[in-house]
Every structure is written in C-alpha cells, then in structure tokens.
Amino acid sequence: MNDTDQSAVRAEDAFDIEGTHAWLTQQVENISGPAPDVVQFTGGASNLTYLLSYPHLDTELILRRPPAGKKASSAHDMAREYRVQKALKPAFPLVPTVRALCQDPSVMGADFYVMDKVPGLILRGRLPNGMDLPPEKARSLSEAFIDTLADLHQVNPVEAGLADLGKGQGYVRRQVEGWTRRYAQARTWNTPSFRHVTAWLADHQPGDAATCIVHNDWRLDNLVLDEKSLQVTGVLDWELATLGDPLMDLGSAMAYWVQADDGRMARAMRRQPSHLPGMLTRAQIVERYCARTGLSAENWPFYEVFGLFRLAVIAQQIYYRYHHKQTRNPAFRNLWMAVNYLDRRCRATIRRTSGS
C-alpha cells in the first residue's frame, strides 16, 4: 500500500490502540514492547483498514474492521473474510498472510483481524508522482489484471477447503434478487428507482455459467504490484469473496474499468489508471478472459448491466450512511450523482442490446 494513501485516523474511526496492542501481544508471535504507531488507509469505502507499525520490531501489520452505521446483514463479516484468506492462501499464494482474528467485543467493540502487510505498489486513479507507464507496460499490466482473475477462477474450491463458501446453483438469480432488494433498502430521495433496469435483469438472466471462487471486487487498486516489474504480488480485500458465477465476477470488474473513450462522468469516477494508452479495452478484456477460460460471452450484455447496477447499489449503500449522518467522510458526499449516472448507463446498454 502506498504512503500517499495514509492519513491520521479519523475521529469517527478511532479505536483503543493500547487495548488492541495488549490483545495482539497475546495472539501474534513476536509482538511485544510499546504500542504501534497507527495510520488509516484512505482509499477504501467499505471496511476500515489501518497500518500498525512497530519500528522497534521492524514489523508492519494491517488491521481490518467494520465501519460504524447501518450495514447490509451479510456485509463486513470479519470472521468470514479471515477464514477465506486463511484457506485460500495455499492454493492462491497472492492472498495475504492472516495472523489473528478477534471476536471479543471488549477489545475494540467489533470483530477485527490482522494480517501481514504486502509490500509493493497499488495504483489508484492517478499514477504516483514520477511514475511513467508506457503503452507496452500498460498493456502487460491489463493482461496480468485479467489473467490473474482467470487463475483465481481455476482454483478448486473443494481442494481449498471452501466448498461450503457459497449456496450452490442459482447464484445469478440470488444476485439479481439480492442486489435489487439492497438497493430498495438503501435508496434516498435523490436517486432513481432502477425499476426498469432490475426488471430487465430479472427477465434476461441466464443460468449459472459455472461455479468457482469469485473475488467480487476485482479492481487494479486491490492488486499489489512489484514496483519494478509491475507483476502482481498480492490480491487484497476478500470481504465479498464467495462461490459463484465467474462471468458475474467479470461483469462486476468491468463496471470499474473506465477506458479512454468513456464519458466525462465515468472518467470522474475512475479509481484505477485503466484509461492509459496501451490498456486493454473492456471488450478486449472479455475476449481474453473467455479465450483463457473457455467460457462464452454470448450473454455479455446481461453481465455488463448487472455489473453497472451492482456498482450503483454499492455506491448507494455508502451514500446512505453519509445521507443519514452515520459518517461524515466528505468523499461520499456526491455519490448520489454517480448512482444517477449508472442508472442512465444501464438503460443505454439495454437500449443498445435491444436495438431500440
């Protein structure tokens, strides 16, 4: 994670550092001495992430905990996120090494876990000062981005000990119904109904293409890169991982992938440098993924619309917390505008698909 993504801990996100340190000394090998220096990572919009630095031990740990405020009933499950990474690590080495899980509310008031920091570079919306990414490297990076997702989808859930992570067949239907319900629960007066979009999704959903381990938040800024080679050295943020349809995972990833010829609003929402010369387009990524996995993109418009709708729901859930003063993070103030834009984009994709 990058130093520029760090700040002092926000008052609303503060926790008992001394108490947490006391617990860590009993749970994590070689943690001792004075409490750590703590900073907060600013890039995330879901679970809260902190860097715990122990200079006297030359050790850095990452701590993950839920935010305050209203949450979806299945969201922010620290024990599940910890378990997924612990089980998946042997089969998919890019997963961080988790160290300890705390489910004692007396320590912090919420479940949390700690893991090793994965050293390297994380690319955000703008490249770090002084960094150059020529077209050939940009292309290689975008290829690694999608090839690594394809590799994850090839992991055998049974062999990884994660056969019970999902609910089996019917994933597409459950996702359409679940995200439709979540949006209705989080809607505010200044955002659209999405009725046309959700009705279209319900009417056009295909059966499950396959069942595999899906990450469900696959973005460049969840990948850690070697600073010189830009090879992927780590994959972060396993909060939403489950067993599901790989094409749904791909559709969700493409909702974040803003390319150079997208409109002004999409470019304003961009969180990764996917627009740079040399980067694969969404169509090229889908083609490469299908060639690598043997899956068909015949029903791609469905997955495209679903990914955009799902992103709208995530933005709306975050905005709901800001709207109801459960957080005062100014980064969330204008998310309602993004939700309106995503509704228009879903509708445009549907019209293009139907030829009307």
Side-chain angles (χ1 to χ4, degrees):
M1 296 183 180
N2 312 329
D3 292 341
T4 54
D5 301 327
Q6 302 169 13
S7 70
V9 177
R10 290 190 295 266
E12 67 184 68
D13 299 332
F15 61 92
D16 179 359
I17 295 174
E18 290 288 347
T20 301
H21 169 65
W23 183 87
L24 288 171
T25 61
Q26 301 300 312
Q27 301 293 325
V28 180
E29 187 177 1
N30 298 325
I31 296 297
S32 60
D37 300 323
V38 179
V39 294
Q40 185 171 8
F41 288 102
T42 58
S46 183
N47 286 329
L48 305 176
T49 308
Y50 308 82
L51 175 65
L52 280 54
S53 299
Y54 289 90
H56 64 288
L57 301 174
D58 194 26
T59 296
E60 292 181 318
L61 297 173
I62 300 295
L63 185 149
R64 295 261 292 169
R65 57 160 290 190
K70 180 179 177 179
K71 314 170 187 68
S73 59
S74 61
H76 312 290
D77 187 336
M78 295 293 97
R80 184 178 185 278
E81 189 173 333
Y82 176 88
R83 178 206 162 204
V84 167
Q85 292 175 94
K86 190 175 181 65
L88 190 53
K89 176 74 174 180
F92 192 71
L94 297 175
V95 173
T97 300
V98 293
R99 292 297 182 186
L101 168 70
C102 179
Q103 296 183 281
D104 180 353
S106 69
V107 178
M108 189 184 290
D111 291 357
F112 69 91
Y113 72 88
V114 293
M115 63 185 185
D116 288 350
K117 181 185 178 184
V118 181
L121 176 69
I122 296 177
L123 296 182
R124 306 294 185 187
R126 296 183 179 180
L127 295 179
N129 290 336
M131 180 180 178
D132 181 38
L133 192 63
E136 62 272 16
K137 280 196 172 183
R139 183 178 183 88
S140 294
L141 176 57
S142 58
E143 290 173 345
F145 166 85
I146 196 57
D147 291 351
T148 306
L149 179 62
D151 290 344
L152 171 65
H153 290 167
Q154 302 303 309
V155 173
N156 187 315
V158 175
E159 294 178 1
L162 293 170
D164 61 345
L165 188 60
K167 297 180 180 179
Q169 287 294 310
Y171 179 81
V172 173
R173 173 184 52 79
R174 290 192 300 271
Q175 288 292 293
V176 171
E177 293 174 353
W179 287 102
T180 299
R181 181 177 62 253
R182 292 180 198 112
Y183 183 78
Q185 293 170 343
R187 188 185 174 194
T188 49
W189 68 268
N190 50 356
T191 51
S193 70
F194 273 92
R195 288 193 188 98
H196 176 69
V197 174
T198 55
W200 186 88
L201 286 170
D203 290 343
H204 291 80
Q205 55 187 302
D208 295 359
T211 299
C212 66
I213 298 170
V214 293
H215 182 273
N216 261 332
D217 201 13
W218 197 263
R219 308 191 312 257
L220 268 178
D221 59 342
N222 274 332
L223 304 185
V224 185
L225 310 174
D226 180 89
E227 295 194 19
K228 293 183 179 179
S229 68
L230 298 186
Q231 291 184 340
V232 180
T233 58
V235 177
L236 308 177
D237 202 353
W238 293 87
E239 173 188 356
L240 300 174
T242 188
L243 297 188
D245 187 313
L247 292 177
M248 296 285 271
D249 208 12
L250 181 62
S252 298
M254 291 299 92
Y256 288 103
W257 194 267
V258 177
Q259 55 195 46
D261 59 352
D262 282 335
R264 180 183 302 177
M265 189 64 182
R267 296 197 304 270
M269 294 168 57
R270 182 175 52 78
R271 298 182 57 180
Q272 51 192 357
S274 51
H275 67 304
L276 295 177
M279 288 283 186
L280 297 178
T281 65
R282 289 186 293 272
Q284 289 171 327
I285 286 177
V286 173
E287 181 181 8
R288 184 179 179 93
Y289 175 88
C290 290
R292 191 176 178 93
T293 61
L295 295 172
S296 169
E298 178 183 2
N299 294 313
W300 180 249
F302 169 84
Y303 302 107
E304 181 180 4
V305 173
F306 170 79
L308 294 169
F309 170 62
R310 178 181 177 274
L311 178 56
V313 181
I314 293 171
Q316 182 62 30
Q317 288 177 322
I318 297 166
Y319 177 72
Y320 180 98
R321 291 173 47 224
Y322 180 87
H323 184 81
H324 291 281
K325 298 181 172 58
Q326 296 172 357
T327 175
R328 290 288 80 191
N329 188 337
F332 305 154
R333 180 184 296 123
N334 294 321
L335 281 177
W336 66 274
M337 298 172 64
V339 175
N340 279 273
Y341 161 76
L342 289 165
D343 178 58
R344 294 193 298 271
R345 189 163 159 192
C346 284
R347 289 168 174 265
T349 304
I350 291 171
R351 287 194 300 271
R352 187 172 66 249
T353 300
S354 61
S356 59

